[in-house]
Amino acid sequence: MSAAETEDRRSWMPYLLSAPALLLFIAIVLVPLAMTVLLSFHDWGQYKGIETVFILKNWREIWSDGYFHEVFLRTFRVAFLVTLLTAVLGAPEAYILSRMKSPWKGIFLLVVIGPLLISVVARTLGWALLFGGSGGVVNKALLNLGVISTPIPFMFTETGMMVALAHVLMPFMVLSVWAALQKLDPQIENAALSLGASQMTVLRRIVLPQIMPGILAGAIIVFALAASAFATPSIIGGRRLKVASTLAYDEFLNTLNWPLGAAVAVLLLIALVLIIVGSNRIIERRYAEVFR
Amino acid sequence: MSRNGPLALIFHTLFVIFTLAPIVVVCVVAFTPEGYLSLPTNGPSLRWFRTIARYPEFINAFWTSIWLGTVSSVIALAFSVPAALAIARYDFTGREALTALFMSPLMIPHVVLGIAFLRFFTQIGIGGTFLGLVLSHIVVVLPFALRLTLASATGMDRRIEQAAISLGASEWTVLKRITLPLILPGLASGWALSFITSFDEVTMTVFIAAPGTETLPVRMFLYIQDNIDPLVTSVSASVIAATVVALIVMDRIYGLERLLVGRGSGDR
Amino acid sequence: MAFLVLDGLTKRFGEHIAVENLSLAVEQGEFLALLGPSGCGKTTTLQMIAGFVTPTSGTITLAGQDLLAVKPAKRGLGIVFQSYALFPHMTAAENVAFGLEMQGVDKSERSRRVTEALELVGLGKFAERHPRRMSGGQQQRVALARALVIRPSILLLDEPLSNLDAKLREEMQIELRQIQRNVGTTTILVTHDQSEAMALSDRIAVMSQGRIEQIAPPHEAYERPATPFVANFLGKTNVLQAQVQSGQALLGEGRWPVPAGSPPRVLVTVRPEKIGFADGGAQALAGQVVTRIFQGNHWLYQVDTAHGRVTVIRQNSGETAPAEGEAVRLSWRQEDMSVRPAETAR
Ligand SMILES: Nc1ncnc2c1ncn2[C@@H]1O[C@H](COP(=O)(O)OP(=O)(O)OP(=O)(O)O)[C@@H](O)[C@H]1O
Ligand SMILES: [Mg+2]
């Protein structure tokens, strides 16, 4: 029964029921967020600390300093490539999973999406061990297999960051595509096969278009989480290779320049909201038919 | 359904190796008998697991995490149930906006939340306290609690409650005897997911935790920032083992797929 | 004054009018069917009586008292929902006992009445079963027992049989009718199945688009439908346009007397099973058989005539059936047709 079936739009009951959560959110989400936005306009000095004035100093600094451009560019570059990587690997895997037979299907689904619940720190530690300074396990394996001739530097590089982030966020892509696959009628594939289409054609012309909304929805989630990721880039990227969130952390807890850190964080938030809302719009319009 | 071809199976095998490699490597290295990071080629040893006991900072952090997860999930659930009933049952002005607000912690980067809470809690004088941690964790787990509560509240046949009312039950009786028992599985899984989310949260908590109130992932993260040694590996391996057990239990009881499909926050 | 009276009941959902100016009186002990196509407002009407939907305007009185002033929980009505709405976490007996518990009936009395009610619906052995482990028919009976056990002033049934297969539905119809007769509870049944309405009820209220088209005993509504909608809804019917000349409707070579004061153009309605094949004579409408379908105990014909296509149903009594393409003459008795001015046709 849909909510719309309940009548009486003017009943005060729903407001009463949601009032506790609403008040909580106003008090400890909206107020702190507003304070953070305000903070980004405050002044700061090494000795005077935070000065509650209203100036554009921090924003001007981010706008003009090439270092901030570099960090934000890196943040979104990494996020974009991670999204691509998860889509290219996660979508086929979800499809393969959906075609497995009964016990294996459940087992491997657990294996593939289960890591989602395992601590991000622990998973990233695993990658740090695998990458291992210069001659980690991954490089040894790749060298032995003859895939590469010289070790690839993973630790403290964007490449390593991307691999580890792709691993951390992969379950979201698989889940999203999986959900789309569940809605697929297997008979449609058979219908296409019976009409003489090859397996490849069925994949490209029948399956892919139908799971595209799932891939795109997964891509939005992965992109948002990759761009705001903190623990993984911090551990793999080390002290020098900063992304937006680790930069904000630095400003806050090392430099103690809270207003500047707040400005970086607010900018990240605004950029992400714009990107997410924008792409959601486009996808919904494009796939209104499929979503329904 | 048709089976996968050989190419698909090779891809699948590589994918599974990719998925499991970092997790397995942590668990293997944790058993090293050496004083440095290495594979336990000369047989496994529990040396580093025993060492954990001598580091009260990890033990304390573990208990902080457990308490924090338990308390904040229960409170988040208590706020979610009435809100979910309102959203599921009534068509009221502001319904969409309210849902968006309650779900917003999923969209806000946790760094931003961490900064906002740090600033806010310092201003109102609860910076670095357990209370502050609880408040902030309620906010980040509430979307999960709400989503699962909402799913079971909307999934429930409204006529069942109407039947109870027509038989003379008061609103309170209906809630206690009919509604709550029927959405209980949703509440339980909402609690479980909230707990795990809270237990794993590091990005936001790293801003607001003080030395006395560090959670386990925060402690691990800070430790790794200084150096990576077998100790943090054995701690991680323990966390992984505990999670895997919880995971299998939840999969048996509720179905992991059902719990997770549509979930939306990761590198917390 | 009747037991239950709905007066000028209207329900709007925004722009949409679900129920419009509906008036209805139900006598004590009566079995009334609310019959109409999907979306015509039957459930909304029932929900207004039950109190789960508030009318936009109009009144409902029960035994002379304003029912709208009473909270749903205090109305003391028994309701059986289409989905049964059994409490899945309670056994059959607990389901049935719930209403008594709410009334504060003490334990021994409660268990006696629960057993009695389950026995009444033939489920004595299933008291400890959970609804999930019961068949559709059994669940339906638990729902009925749960509604009846509180001795409701009115029993409201919202398509209670529509989830059952055809055979079980027929069995349950008979059982429902018997139980209602035995208990004597005033009953309102909502259904979109005309044969169910006719089989069960004392009177039928045929609804269309939120309004009542006719309230009458089943045979009367069938034989003398008040509107073309009722005629069509209560089984197949033929509607033929005819000219009126000197008090007679002209149909082919046939002439049928019409009521005095009929306009020059009328619509004549005849049910398919009332039409026969005439041998000769004047009182007949000529036509040609287009299709002939064997349907077990009867034949179904489509006959093309000068007044359009006519459906004819003949019992399969062994007489020779006209073949497709054959010319036939159709006739019927004066009292089997109804005549309406053509202008009111909808
Ligand atoms: N809460 C509501 N909000 C808006 N429109 C509604 C609501 N409830 C019912 N309606 C509309 O009112 C009309 C009558 O609905 P109702 O449920 O009474 O039909 P019904 O006769 O019971 O149909 P069915 O046989 O399909 O159950 C329908 O057009 C329906 O769409
Ligand atoms: Mg209905």
mmCIF file of all heavy atoms in Angstrom, chain B residues 157 159-170 173-174 177-179 181-182, chain C residues 47 52 72-73 77 79 81 83 85-90 98-99 101-102 146 150:
data_model
loop_
_atom_site.group_PDB
_atom_site.id
_atom_site.type_symbol
_atom_site.label_atom_id
_atom_site.label_comp_id
_atom_site.label_asym_id
_atom_site.label_seq_id
_atom_site.Cartn_x
_atom_site.Cartn_y
_atom_site.Cartn_z
ATOM 1 N N ASP B 157 1.546 -4.825 5.100
ATOM 2 C CA ASP B 157 0.184 -4.591 4.637
ATOM 3 C C ASP B 157 -0.563 -3.730 5.658
ATOM 4 O O ASP B 157 -0.786 -4.129 6.787
ATOM 5 C CB ASP B 157 -0.528 -5.937 4.459
ATOM 6 C CG ASP B 157 -1.922 -5.769 3.875
ATOM 7 O OD1 ASP B 157 -2.330 -4.615 3.655
ATOM 8 O OD2 ASP B 157 -2.582 -6.789 3.644
ATOM 9 N N ARG B 159 -3.533 -3.059 5.837
ATOM 10 C CA ARG B 159 -4.834 -3.616 6.236
ATOM 11 C C ARG B 159 -4.711 -4.452 7.500
ATOM 12 O O ARG B 159 -5.700 -4.653 8.203
ATOM 13 C CB ARG B 159 -5.408 -4.505 5.125
ATOM 14 C CG ARG B 159 -5.308 -3.931 3.759
ATOM 15 C CD ARG B 159 -6.571 -3.206 3.377
ATOM 16 N NE ARG B 159 -6.234 -2.341 2.249
ATOM 17 C CZ ARG B 159 -7.038 -1.472 1.686
ATOM 18 N NH1 ARG B 159 -8.240 -1.330 2.157
ATOM 19 N NH2 ARG B 159 -6.664 -0.740 0.692
ATOM 20 N N ILE B 160 -3.510 -4.974 7.753
ATOM 21 C CA ILE B 160 -3.350 -5.777 8.959
ATOM 22 C C ILE B 160 -3.583 -4.900 10.183
ATOM 23 O O ILE B 160 -4.263 -5.290 11.128
ATOM 24 C CB ILE B 160 -1.945 -6.420 8.990
ATOM 25 C CG1 ILE B 160 -1.842 -7.436 7.853
ATOM 26 C CG2 ILE B 160 -1.688 -7.092 10.326
ATOM 27 C CD1 ILE B 160 -0.521 -8.144 7.780
ATOM 28 N N GLU B 161 -3.060 -3.673 10.125
ATOM 29 C CA GLU B 161 -3.296 -2.757 11.239
ATOM 30 C C GLU B 161 -4.752 -2.318 11.284
ATOM 31 O O GLU B 161 -5.344 -2.197 12.363
ATOM 32 C CB GLU B 161 -2.393 -1.533 11.102
ATOM 33 C CG GLU B 161 -0.947 -1.860 11.365
ATOM 34 C CD GLU B 161 -0.035 -0.762 10.887
ATOM 35 O OE1 GLU B 161 -0.091 -0.434 9.688
ATOM 36 O OE2 GLU B 161 0.706 -0.227 11.695
ATOM 37 N N GLN B 162 -5.333 -2.094 10.112
ATOM 38 C CA GLN B 162 -6.743 -1.708 10.082
ATOM 39 C C GLN B 162 -7.602 -2.807 10.673
ATOM 40 O O GLN B 162 -8.589 -2.536 11.382
ATOM 41 C CB GLN B 162 -7.176 -1.403 8.649
ATOM 42 C CG GLN B 162 -6.515 -0.156 8.089
ATOM 43 C CD GLN B 162 -7.091 0.266 6.761
ATOM 44 O OE1 GLN B 162 -7.788 -0.504 6.097
ATOM 45 N NE2 GLN B 162 -6.806 1.486 6.359
ATOM 46 N N ALA B 163 -7.218 -4.055 10.380
ATOM 47 C CA ALA B 163 -7.961 -5.177 10.951
ATOM 48 C C ALA B 163 -7.915 -5.105 12.469
ATOM 49 O O ALA B 163 -8.942 -5.269 13.145
ATOM 50 C CB ALA B 163 -7.382 -6.493 10.457
ATOM 51 N N ALA B 164 -6.733 -4.828 13.014
ATOM 52 C CA ALA B 164 -6.595 -4.747 14.465
ATOM 53 C C ALA B 164 -7.438 -3.600 15.026
ATOM 54 O O ALA B 164 -8.119 -3.744 16.042
ATOM 55 C CB ALA B 164 -5.132 -4.562 14.842
ATOM 56 N N ILE B 165 -7.419 -2.458 14.339
ATOM 57 C CA ILE B 165 -8.219 -1.317 14.803
ATOM 58 C C ILE B 165 -9.700 -1.669 14.792
ATOM 59 O O ILE B 165 -10.432 -1.407 15.736
ATOM 60 C CB ILE B 165 -7.957 -0.079 13.911
ATOM 61 C CG1 ILE B 165 -6.520 0.376 14.066
ATOM 62 C CG2 ILE B 165 -8.919 1.056 14.263
ATOM 63 C CD1 ILE B 165 -6.110 1.455 13.098
ATOM 64 N N SER B 166 -10.146 -2.311 13.707
ATOM 65 C CA SER B 166 -11.568 -2.642 13.606
ATOM 66 C C SER B 166 -11.981 -3.613 14.697
ATOM 67 O O SER B 166 -13.151 -3.700 15.046
ATOM 68 C CB SER B 166 -11.870 -3.227 12.229
ATOM 69 O OG SER B 166 -11.434 -4.568 12.172
ATOM 70 N N LEU B 167 -11.017 -4.342 15.240
ATOM 71 C CA LEU B 167 -11.334 -5.266 16.329
ATOM 72 C C LEU B 167 -11.256 -4.555 17.682
ATOM 73 O O LEU B 167 -11.354 -5.187 18.728
ATOM 74 C CB LEU B 167 -10.368 -6.445 16.306
ATOM 75 C CG LEU B 167 -10.535 -7.379 15.101
ATOM 76 C CD1 LEU B 167 -9.387 -8.357 15.009
ATOM 77 C CD2 LEU B 167 -11.857 -8.119 15.163
ATOM 78 N N GLY B 168 -11.027 -3.244 17.642
ATOM 79 C CA GLY B 168 -11.104 -2.468 18.869
ATOM 80 C C GLY B 168 -9.772 -2.105 19.505
ATOM 81 O O GLY B 168 -9.748 -1.616 20.632
ATOM 82 N N ALA B 169 -8.656 -2.347 18.793
ATOM 83 C CA ALA B 169 -7.349 -2.055 19.393
ATOM 84 C C ALA B 169 -7.053 -0.563 19.347
ATOM 85 O O ALA B 169 -7.334 0.096 18.351
ATOM 86 C CB ALA B 169 -6.260 -2.822 18.652
ATOM 87 N N SER B 170 -6.454 -0.042 20.419
ATOM 88 C CA SER B 170 -6.049 1.362 20.429
ATOM 89 C C SER B 170 -4.771 1.512 19.616
ATOM 90 O O SER B 170 -4.105 0.527 19.312
ATOM 91 C CB SER B 170 -5.787 1.820 21.856
ATOM 92 O OG SER B 170 -4.635 1.162 22.350
ATOM 93 N N THR B 173 -1.844 -0.079 21.278
ATOM 94 C CA THR B 173 -1.908 -1.539 21.199
ATOM 95 C C THR B 173 -1.498 -2.023 19.806
ATOM 96 O O THR B 173 -0.761 -2.996 19.675
ATOM 97 C CB THR B 173 -3.328 -2.039 21.513
ATOM 98 O OG1 THR B 173 -3.761 -1.409 22.705
ATOM 99 C CG2 THR B 173 -3.358 -3.537 21.667
ATOM 100 N N VAL B 174 -1.977 -1.335 18.786
ATOM 101 C CA VAL B 174 -1.628 -1.720 17.420
ATOM 102 C C VAL B 174 -0.119 -1.653 17.237
ATOM 103 O O VAL B 174 0.506 -2.586 16.729
ATOM 104 C CB VAL B 174 -2.330 -0.803 16.393
ATOM 105 C CG1 VAL B 174 -1.812 -1.084 14.991
ATOM 106 C CG2 VAL B 174 -3.823 -1.004 16.453
ATOM 107 N N ARG B 177 1.469 -4.517 19.611
ATOM 108 C CA ARG B 177 1.132 -5.918 19.355
ATOM 109 C C ARG B 177 1.236 -6.308 17.889
ATOM 110 O O ARG B 177 1.403 -7.480 17.567
ATOM 111 C CB ARG B 177 -0.300 -6.205 19.836
ATOM 112 C CG ARG B 177 -0.510 -6.039 21.324
ATOM 113 C CD ARG B 177 -0.140 -7.294 22.105
ATOM 114 N NE ARG B 177 -0.733 -8.500 21.568
ATOM 115 C CZ ARG B 177 -1.922 -8.972 21.911
ATOM 116 N NH1 ARG B 177 -2.639 -8.347 22.807
ATOM 117 N NH2 ARG B 177 -2.386 -10.091 21.386
ATOM 118 N N ILE B 178 1.078 -5.350 16.977
ATOM 119 C CA ILE B 178 1.034 -5.694 15.558
ATOM 120 C C ILE B 178 2.228 -5.106 14.806
ATOM 121 O O ILE B 178 3.050 -5.840 14.249
ATOM 122 C CB ILE B 178 -0.282 -5.189 14.905
ATOM 123 C CG1 ILE B 178 -1.489 -5.617 15.729
ATOM 124 C CG2 ILE B 178 -0.368 -5.659 13.459
ATOM 125 C CD1 ILE B 178 -1.785 -7.086 15.726
ATOM 126 N N THR B 179 2.336 -3.783 14.799
ATOM 127 C CA THR B 179 3.338 -3.142 13.944
ATOM 128 C C THR B 179 4.768 -3.528 14.323
ATOM 129 O O THR B 179 5.524 -4.011 13.479
ATOM 130 C CB THR B 179 3.181 -1.612 13.999
ATOM 131 O OG1 THR B 179 1.795 -1.291 13.896
ATOM 132 C CG2 THR B 179 3.939 -0.961 12.879
ATOM 133 N N PRO B 181 6.094 -6.005 16.206
ATOM 134 C CA PRO B 181 6.499 -7.398 15.951
ATOM 135 C C PRO B 181 6.703 -7.685 14.463
ATOM 136 O O PRO B 181 7.590 -8.441 14.087
ATOM 137 C CB PRO B 181 5.323 -8.222 16.486
ATOM 138 C CG PRO B 181 4.647 -7.345 17.454
ATOM 139 C CD PRO B 181 4.862 -5.939 17.004
ATOM 140 N N LEU B 182 5.883 -7.034 13.616
ATOM 141 C CA LEU B 182 5.979 -7.339 12.196
ATOM 142 C C LEU B 182 7.183 -6.678 11.531
ATOM 143 O O LEU B 182 7.701 -7.182 10.546
ATOM 144 C CB LEU B 182 4.691 -6.943 11.477
ATOM 145 C CG LEU B 182 3.510 -7.849 11.791
ATOM 146 C CD1 LEU B 182 2.281 -7.424 11.018
ATOM 147 C CD2 LEU B 182 3.845 -9.302 11.462
ATOM 148 N N GLN C 47 -14.577 1.455 3.234
ATOM 149 C CA GLN C 47 -13.604 2.043 4.153
ATOM 150 C C GLN C 47 -14.201 3.234 4.900
ATOM 151 O O GLN C 47 -13.795 3.538 6.013
ATOM 152 C CB GLN C 47 -12.352 2.479 3.386
ATOM 153 C CG GLN C 47 -11.548 1.315 2.834
ATOM 154 C CD GLN C 47 -10.438 0.898 3.782
ATOM 155 O OE1 GLN C 47 -10.447 1.220 4.946
ATOM 156 N NE2 GLN C 47 -9.470 0.156 3.291
ATOM 157 N N PHE C 52 -11.869 4.110 8.049
ATOM 158 C CA PHE C 52 -10.469 4.292 7.667
ATOM 159 C C PHE C 52 -10.315 5.355 6.594
ATOM 160 O O PHE C 52 -9.221 5.768 6.260
ATOM 161 C CB PHE C 52 -9.857 2.971 7.216
ATOM 162 C CG PHE C 52 -9.865 1.935 8.303
ATOM 163 C CD1 PHE C 52 -10.475 0.714 8.126
ATOM 164 C CD2 PHE C 52 -9.289 2.223 9.532
ATOM 165 C CE1 PHE C 52 -10.500 -0.228 9.141
ATOM 166 C CE2 PHE C 52 -9.306 1.293 10.549
ATOM 167 C CZ PHE C 52 -9.925 0.070 10.355
ATOM 168 N N PRO C 72 -12.855 4.497 14.590
ATOM 169 C CA PRO C 72 -12.855 3.181 13.936
ATOM 170 C C PRO C 72 -12.753 2.033 14.939
ATOM 171 O O PRO C 72 -13.417 1.002 14.774
ATOM 172 C CB PRO C 72 -11.615 3.229 13.058
ATOM 173 C CG PRO C 72 -11.358 4.665 12.818
ATOM 174 C CD PRO C 72 -11.892 5.423 13.983
ATOM 175 N N ALA C 73 -11.949 2.215 15.971
ATOM 176 C CA ALA C 73 -11.738 1.130 16.932
ATOM 177 C C ALA C 73 -12.975 0.875 17.778
ATOM 178 O O ALA C 73 -13.104 -0.171 18.410
ATOM 179 C CB ALA C 73 -10.544 1.446 17.823
ATOM 180 N N LEU C 77 -17.409 -3.090 14.114
ATOM 181 C CA LEU C 77 -17.747 -3.737 12.848
ATOM 182 C C LEU C 77 -16.775 -4.875 12.599
ATOM 183 O O LEU C 77 -15.618 -4.812 13.005
ATOM 184 C CB LEU C 77 -17.636 -2.723 11.706
ATOM 185 C CG LEU C 77 -18.369 -1.403 11.908
ATOM 186 C CD1 LEU C 77 -18.094 -0.477 10.746
ATOM 187 C CD2 LEU C 77 -19.848 -1.648 12.054
ATOM 188 N N ILE C 79 -14.638 -6.851 9.862
ATOM 189 C CA ILE C 79 -14.181 -6.616 8.495
ATOM 190 C C ILE C 79 -13.348 -7.792 8.000
ATOM 191 O O ILE C 79 -12.476 -8.280 8.706
ATOM 192 C CB ILE C 79 -13.319 -5.344 8.410
ATOM 193 C CG1 ILE C 79 -14.073 -4.176 9.039
ATOM 194 C CG2 ILE C 79 -12.954 -5.030 6.981
ATOM 195 C CD1 ILE C 79 -13.287 -2.905 9.066
ATOM 196 N N PHE C 81 -10.866 -8.425 4.901
ATOM 197 C CA PHE C 81 -10.214 -7.731 3.801
ATOM 198 C C PHE C 81 -9.917 -8.692 2.664
ATOM 199 O O PHE C 81 -9.816 -9.898 2.858
ATOM 200 C CB PHE C 81 -8.908 -7.105 4.276
ATOM 201 C CG PHE C 81 -9.091 -6.029 5.290
ATOM 202 C CD1 PHE C 81 -9.098 -6.316 6.644
ATOM 203 C CD2 PHE C 81 -9.262 -4.710 4.885
ATOM 204 C CE1 PHE C 81 -9.265 -5.316 7.577
ATOM 205 C CE2 PHE C 81 -9.429 -3.711 5.821
ATOM 206 C CZ PHE C 81 -9.436 -4.010 7.171
ATOM 207 N N SER C 83 -7.165 -9.107 1.195
ATOM 208 C CA SER C 83 -5.903 -9.813 1.447
ATOM 209 C C SER C 83 -5.969 -10.603 2.753
ATOM 210 O O SER C 83 -4.960 -11.113 3.204
ATOM 211 C CB SER C 83 -4.766 -8.805 1.508
ATOM 212 O OG SER C 83 -5.041 -7.831 2.495
ATOM 213 N N ALA C 85 -5.553 -9.947 5.616
ATOM 214 C CA ALA C 85 -4.917 -9.148 6.671
ATOM 215 C C ALA C 85 -4.881 -9.882 7.999
ATOM 216 O O ALA C 85 -5.126 -9.302 9.046
ATOM 217 C CB ALA C 85 -5.620 -7.799 6.819
ATOM 218 N N LEU C 86 -4.561 -11.176 7.958
ATOM 219 C CA LEU C 86 -4.384 -11.911 9.207
ATOM 220 C C LEU C 86 -3.079 -11.460 9.854
ATOM 221 O O LEU C 86 -2.175 -10.990 9.180
ATOM 222 C CB LEU C 86 -4.327 -13.413 8.920
ATOM 223 C CG LEU C 86 -5.625 -14.017 8.394
ATOM 224 C CD1 LEU C 86 -5.425 -15.474 8.026
ATOM 225 C CD2 LEU C 86 -6.738 -13.868 9.416
ATOM 226 N N PHE C 87 -2.998 -11.588 11.175
ATOM 227 C CA PHE C 87 -1.757 -11.248 11.862
ATOM 228 C C PHE C 87 -0.793 -12.415 11.678
ATOM 229 O O PHE C 87 -1.010 -13.482 12.259
ATOM 230 C CB PHE C 87 -2.015 -10.992 13.350
ATOM 231 C CG PHE C 87 -3.146 -10.017 13.599
ATOM 232 C CD1 PHE C 87 -4.138 -10.300 14.521
ATOM 233 C CD2 PHE C 87 -3.201 -8.819 12.900
ATOM 234 C CE1 PHE C 87 -5.180 -9.402 14.750
ATOM 235 C CE2 PHE C 87 -4.239 -7.918 13.121
ATOM 236 C CZ PHE C 87 -5.230 -8.205 14.043
ATOM 237 N N PRO C 88 0.260 -12.236 10.884
ATOM 238 C CA PRO C 88 1.087 -13.395 10.525
ATOM 239 C C PRO C 88 1.867 -13.982 11.701
ATOM 240 O O PRO C 88 2.263 -15.132 11.646
ATOM 241 C CB PRO C 88 2.040 -12.831 9.461
ATOM 242 C CG PRO C 88 2.030 -11.367 9.638
ATOM 243 C CD PRO C 88 0.722 -10.998 10.244
ATOM 244 N N HIS C 89 2.055 -13.188 12.748
ATOM 245 C CA HIS C 89 2.845 -13.682 13.873
ATOM 246 C C HIS C 89 1.976 -14.335 14.944
ATOM 247 O O HIS C 89 2.456 -14.650 16.017
ATOM 248 C CB HIS C 89 3.676 -12.556 14.457
ATOM 249 C CG HIS C 89 2.867 -11.358 14.884
ATOM 250 N ND1 HIS C 89 2.040 -10.686 14.029
ATOM 251 C CD2 HIS C 89 2.752 -10.730 16.074
ATOM 252 C CE1 HIS C 89 1.462 -9.682 14.656
ATOM 253 N NE2 HIS C 89 1.873 -9.690 15.911
ATOM 254 N N MET C 90 0.699 -14.512 14.667
ATOM 255 C CA MET C 90 -0.192 -15.149 15.639
ATOM 256 C C MET C 90 -0.840 -16.385 15.010
ATOM 257 O O MET C 90 -1.050 -16.437 13.809
ATOM 258 C CB MET C 90 -1.300 -14.183 16.057
ATOM 259 C CG MET C 90 -0.806 -12.911 16.705
ATOM 260 S SD MET C 90 -2.222 -11.907 17.203
ATOM 261 C CE MET C 90 -1.403 -10.376 17.627
ATOM 262 N N PHE C 98 -7.962 -12.040 19.323
ATOM 263 C CA PHE C 98 -7.484 -10.664 19.477
ATOM 264 C C PHE C 98 -8.621 -9.674 19.786
ATOM 265 O O PHE C 98 -8.531 -8.880 20.723
ATOM 266 C CB PHE C 98 -6.741 -10.238 18.208
ATOM 267 C CG PHE C 98 -6.040 -8.918 18.321
ATOM 268 C CD1 PHE C 98 -4.766 -8.833 18.843
ATOM 269 C CD2 PHE C 98 -6.668 -7.741 17.904
ATOM 270 C CE1 PHE C 98 -4.123 -7.617 18.948
ATOM 271 C CE2 PHE C 98 -6.023 -6.522 18.015
ATOM 272 C CZ PHE C 98 -4.749 -6.458 18.538
ATOM 273 N N GLY C 99 -9.675 -9.753 18.996
ATOM 274 C CA GLY C 99 -10.779 -8.812 19.176
ATOM 275 C C GLY C 99 -11.433 -8.957 20.539
ATOM 276 O O GLY C 99 -11.809 -7.964 21.175
ATOM 277 N N GLU C 101 -9.971 -10.053 23.216
ATOM 278 C CA GLU C 101 -9.020 -9.524 24.180
ATOM 279 C C GLU C 101 -9.177 -8.006 24.283
ATOM 280 O O GLU C 101 -9.151 -7.442 25.376
ATOM 281 C CB GLU C 101 -7.622 -9.865 23.661
ATOM 282 C CG GLU C 101 -6.584 -10.098 24.713
ATOM 283 C CD GLU C 101 -5.261 -10.436 24.054
ATOM 284 O OE1 GLU C 101 -5.238 -11.332 23.178
ATOM 285 O OE2 GLU C 101 -4.278 -9.782 24.393
ATOM 286 N N MET C 102 -9.357 -7.368 23.140
ATOM 287 C CA MET C 102 -9.512 -5.910 23.120
ATOM 288 C C MET C 102 -10.785 -5.491 23.858
ATOM 289 O O MET C 102 -10.855 -4.434 24.448
ATOM 290 C CB MET C 102 -9.575 -5.393 21.676
ATOM 291 C CG MET C 102 -8.288 -5.556 20.912
ATOM 292 S SD MET C 102 -6.886 -4.773 21.717
ATOM 293 C CE MET C 102 -5.832 -6.158 22.042
ATOM 294 N N ARG C 146 -12.519 -14.388 12.715
ATOM 295 C CA ARG C 146 -12.005 -13.269 13.496
ATOM 296 C C ARG C 146 -12.985 -12.099 13.483
ATOM 297 O O ARG C 146 -13.147 -11.396 14.476
ATOM 298 C CB ARG C 146 -10.647 -12.821 12.917
ATOM 299 C CG ARG C 146 -9.978 -11.743 13.729
ATOM 300 C CD ARG C 146 -8.638 -11.360 13.155
ATOM 301 N NE ARG C 146 -8.757 -10.698 11.857
ATOM 302 C CZ ARG C 146 -7.715 -10.272 11.163
ATOM 303 N NH1 ARG C 146 -6.490 -10.446 11.611
ATOM 304 N NH2 ARG C 146 -7.879 -9.674 10.000
ATOM 305 N N ILE C 150 -16.440 -11.217 17.357
ATOM 306 C CA ILE C 150 -16.723 -10.060 18.209
ATOM 307 C C ILE C 150 -18.199 -9.673 18.136
ATOM 308 O O ILE C 150 -18.608 -8.648 18.660
ATOM 309 C CB ILE C 150 -15.831 -8.842 17.847
ATOM 310 C CG1 ILE C 150 -16.071 -8.398 16.405
ATOM 311 C CG2 ILE C 150 -14.363 -9.137 18.085
ATOM 312 C CD1 ILE C 150 -15.430 -7.044 16.085
#
